[in-house]
């Protein structure tokens, strides 16, 4: 395997483990070029199925189980917390509300640190260990931070995190602090934090935002696992919340490889859903623009996707184009409606950012977008426990009573 510039007009190649973040020729983003796999599709599916009975930590991981499509490392270097293996949950009531007939949720919030970021971080930190990095860093709206902090702790590396001050949920901050990461709070947005970190890359720090091609490799396995769960029959539509657009890019790469190596015979249409107040990608699509214009002051209740200048938009637009899907945005009210519905009707607790994908189904079906009988999968990217503030603002508060015997008796109507 090698690193390759994502821009096909450039396609410069570098050795796989070159610690570069961008193409030295054109400044474009890099991706891992997957080698042809020396197995037939049926034999690979059989192998992956057998690994589910194994006790090898690589086989237990829902990322490394699919390692034929990942860079190769000695088993002892792999830093895993048993990530992946998240269930596919059917959403009958949400489907009925939205007016569709076949809706399922891939809840990535049931990963070790509570978000899909663990899937990329197991790969990114393993690469950091392999190249001998000592300090790993990222800018984050909170989830990447928590995942980096956990996997860095496990690997014995120093984790350094740049956060927009006062703009991330307390629980995400608590996770990163508890895992022992060094935290720098920036007066500004996520985009400012990312810019600040990019200026520091020359100081011997290994950079682990989603433009890191190894993180994309880990995240791409989500779609291998999903297809495995669906007996390798792709759904008609896949909805993904969009922030920095790493996940959309990773899923696009997954479907390209799954098709190329004969593991599936068609891919779903990919629908990227942004928050209306942080919607530069949806706007670019609506206006049919060829370049992304950043949103200067992104604002949404879904703090995880409060991003105005997504780094991976070129890969994400390619993924949309190849799949024939679309890009849309939903309001905070629509996000909260979906968030409530998931919890109250389905018993599924996710972050507001995750509920954007479900809000997208409701909105698009009201416009008649889905054909009758369409099979739809929404990715839920983070656990509701990450952001209790939203839940607490949204519910009737519990009744507080005096616990003396008389008061309890009175309450029970005795
Ligand atoms: N959902 C959640 C819960 C997230 O935390 C993020 C991104 C996204 C969706 C969007 O994913 O960036 O790949 O398009 N969170 C990042 C972070 C930015 O720092 O935790 P994306």
């Amino acid at each position: 395997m090698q690193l390759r510039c994502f821009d096909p007009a450039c396609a410069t190649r570098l050795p796989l483990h070159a610690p570069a973040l961008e193409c030295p020729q054109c400044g474009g983003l890099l991706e891992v070029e997957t080698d042809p796999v020396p197995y037939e599709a049926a034999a690979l599916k059989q192998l992956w199925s057998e690994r589910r009975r194994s006790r090898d930590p690589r086989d237990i991981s829902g990322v490394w189980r699919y390692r034929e499509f990942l860079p190769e490392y000695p088993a002892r270097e792999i830093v895993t917390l048993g990530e992946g293996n998240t269930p596919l949950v059917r959403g009958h009531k949400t489907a009925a509300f939205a007016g569709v007939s076949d809706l399922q949720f891939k809840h990535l919030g049931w990963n070790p640190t509570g978000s899909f970021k663990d899937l990329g971080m197991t790969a990114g930190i393993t690469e950091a260990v392999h190249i001998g990095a000592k300090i790993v860093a990222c800018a984050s709206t909170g989830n990447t931070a928590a995942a980096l902090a956990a996997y860095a702790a496990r690997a014995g590396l120093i984790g350094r995190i740049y956060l927009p001050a006062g703009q991330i949920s307390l629980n995400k901050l608590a996770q990163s602090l508890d895992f022992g990461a060094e935290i720098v709070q920036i007066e500004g947005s996520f985009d400012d934090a990312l810019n600040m970190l990019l200026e520091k890359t020359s100081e011997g720090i290994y950079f682990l935002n989603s433009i890191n091609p190894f993180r994309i490799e880990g995240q791409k396995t989500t779609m291998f696992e999903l297809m495995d769960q669906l007996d390798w029959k792709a759904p008609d539509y896949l909805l993904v919340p969009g922030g920095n657009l790493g996940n959309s890019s990773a899923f696009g790469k997954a479907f390209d490889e799954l098709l190329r190596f004969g593991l599936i015979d068609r891919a779903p249409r990919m629908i990227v859903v942004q928050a209306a107040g942080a919607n530069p990608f949806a706007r670019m699509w609506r206006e049919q623009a060829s370049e992304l214009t950043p949103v200067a002051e992104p604002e949404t209740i879904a703090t995880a996707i409060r991003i105005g200048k997504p780094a991976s938009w070129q890969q994400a637009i390619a993924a949309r184009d190849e799949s024939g899907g679309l890009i849309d945005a939903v309001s905070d009210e629509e996000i909260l409606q979906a968030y409530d519905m998931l919890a109250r009707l389905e018993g599924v607790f996710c972050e507001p950012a995750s509920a954007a994908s479900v809000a997208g189904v409701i909105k698009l079906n009201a416009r008649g977008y889905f054909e009758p009988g369409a099979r739809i999968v929404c990715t839920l990217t983070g656990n509701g426990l990450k952001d209790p503030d939203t839940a607490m603002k949204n519910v009737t508060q519990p009744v507080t009573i005096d616990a003396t015997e008389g008061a309890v008796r009175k309450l029970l109507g005795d």
Side-chain angles (χ1 to χ4, degrees):
M1 289 188 186
Q2 298 179 90
L3 292 178
R4 178 182 57 194
C5 175
F6 177 75
D7 181 353
C10 173
T12 296
R13 287 174 168 78
L14 298 174
L16 180 63
H17 301 295
L21 276 180
E22 55 179 39
C23 171
Q25 294 297 326
C26 74
L29 296 185
L30 297 169
E31 65 177 4
V32 173
E33 185 175 36
T34 311
D35 290 338
V37 176
Y39 290 94
E40 292 293 322
L44 263 179
K45 290 176 188 174
Q46 178 69 24
L47 175 67
W48 293 336
S49 170
E50 279 162 14
R51 283 182 183 160
R52 288 180 183 275
R53 291 199 302 272
S54 154
R55 300 265 189 265
D56 183 327
R58 294 172 306 167
D59 296 343
I60 290 169
S61 162
V63 171
W64 298 102
R65 180 176 307 133
Y66 304 100
R67 58 188 171 274
E68 284 68 24
F69 282 79
L70 296 173
E72 200 178 337
Y73 300 96
R76 69 186 145 71
E77 283 182 6
I78 289 179
V79 186
T80 173
L81 285 163
E83 52 291 316
N85 303 304
T86 52
L88 195 55
V89 183
R90 202 160 267 292
H92 290 296
K93 293 178 190 159
T94 312
F97 179 86
V100 298
S101 55
D102 190 335
L103 177 62
Q104 301 197 70
F105 311 121
K106 176 76 173 151
H107 201 337
L108 306 173
W110 295 342
N111 265 294
T113 74
S115 85
F116 74 95
K117 304 291 183 179
D118 297 333
L119 305 163
M121 212 48 85
T122 182
I125 293 279
T126 296
E127 173 65 13
V129 167
H130 184 75
I131 64 170
K134 298 284 177 269
I135 303 175
V136 288
C138 71
S140 178
T141 56
N143 280 329
T144 303
L148 177 139
Y151 284 82
R154 191 164 179 79
L157 305 180
I158 296 170
R160 190 167 297 159
I161 290 164
Y162 292 76
L163 299 174
Q167 293 184 38
I168 71 160
S169 95
L170 186 63
N171 287 23
K172 295 177 187 176
L173 181 62
Q175 279 185 298
S176 298
L177 287 167
D178 207 42
F179 291 130
E182 295 173 6
I183 298 189
V184 182
Q185 302 213 67
I186 309 286
E187 288 296 343
S189 65
F190 165 85
D191 305 296
D192 298 326
L194 187 56
N195 281 343
M196 178 166 290
L197 180 58
L198 284 171
E199 283 161 18
K200 297 212 177 290
T201 49
S202 57
E203 294 174 21
I205 299 173
Y206 189 64
F207 182 80
L208 274 171
N209 266 92
S210 60
I211 61 170
N212 179 303
F214 295 88
R215 274 198 49 205
I216 297 291
E217 289 305 288
Q219 285 176 210
K220 119 190 143 180
T221 63
T222 312
M223 289 301 123
F224 285 64
E225 184 175 278
L226 176 68
M227 292 304 114
D228 203 343
Q229 287 167 312
L230 291 172
D231 286 330
W232 305 98
K233 292 183 193 71
D236 298 306
Y237 298 92
L238 175 77
L239 286 96
V240 193
N244 214 21
L245 302 174
N247 226 14
S248 316
S249 308
F251 295 172
K253 187 167 193 284
F255 286 116
D256 175 54
E257 293 175 6
L258 287 162
L259 283 170
R260 204 146 36 89
F261 295 103
L263 290 153
I264 55 173
D265 53 20
R266 68 176 183 87
R269 289 177 192 269
M270 191 158 78
I271 301 172
V272 182
V273 187
Q274 293 203 294
N279 67 345
F281 194 47
R283 207 166 62 190
M284 172 187 161
W285 162 254
R286 197 176 57 228
E287 293 168 359
Q288 308 253 301
S290 54
E291 291 286 318
L292 181 129
T293 307
V295 168
E297 288 183 15
E299 190 49 62
T300 166
I301 186 173
T303 53
I305 51 174
R306 193 193 276 164
I307 294 173
K309 193 178 166 215
S312 301
W313 67 267
Q314 278 155 317
Q315 280 97 328
I317 198 75
R320 190 317 303 169
D321 291 349
E322 269 151 42
S323 84
L326 60 81
I327 301 149
D328 207 345
V330 287
S331 67
D332 280 4
E333 291 69 32
E334 289 168 321
I335 289 175
L336 281 175
Q337 180 194 46
Y339 170 84
D340 269 353
M341 181 170 306
L342 284 164
R344 284 161 197 233
L345 301 185
E346 309 284 8
V348 170
F349 196 24
C350 68
E351 277 195 57
S354 310
S357 62
V358 179
V361 173
I362 299 169
K363 179 178 172 185
L364 287 170
N365 203 51
R367 283 198 219 142
Y369 176 73
F370 301 108
E371 66 279 8
R375 294 167 64 231
I376 305 170
V377 171
C378 285
T379 48
L380 302 182
T381 43
N383 195 311
L385 294 171
K386 290 275 193 171
D387 189 3
D389 284 358
T390 304
M392 291 311 285
K393 279 187 203 134
N394 232 11
V395 292
T396 314
Q397 298 299 315
V399 182
T400 308
I401 59 155
D402 175 359
T404 58
E405 208 177 317
V408 173
R409 241 197 241 131
K410 202 164 145 204
L411 187 81
L412 297 173
D414 191 359

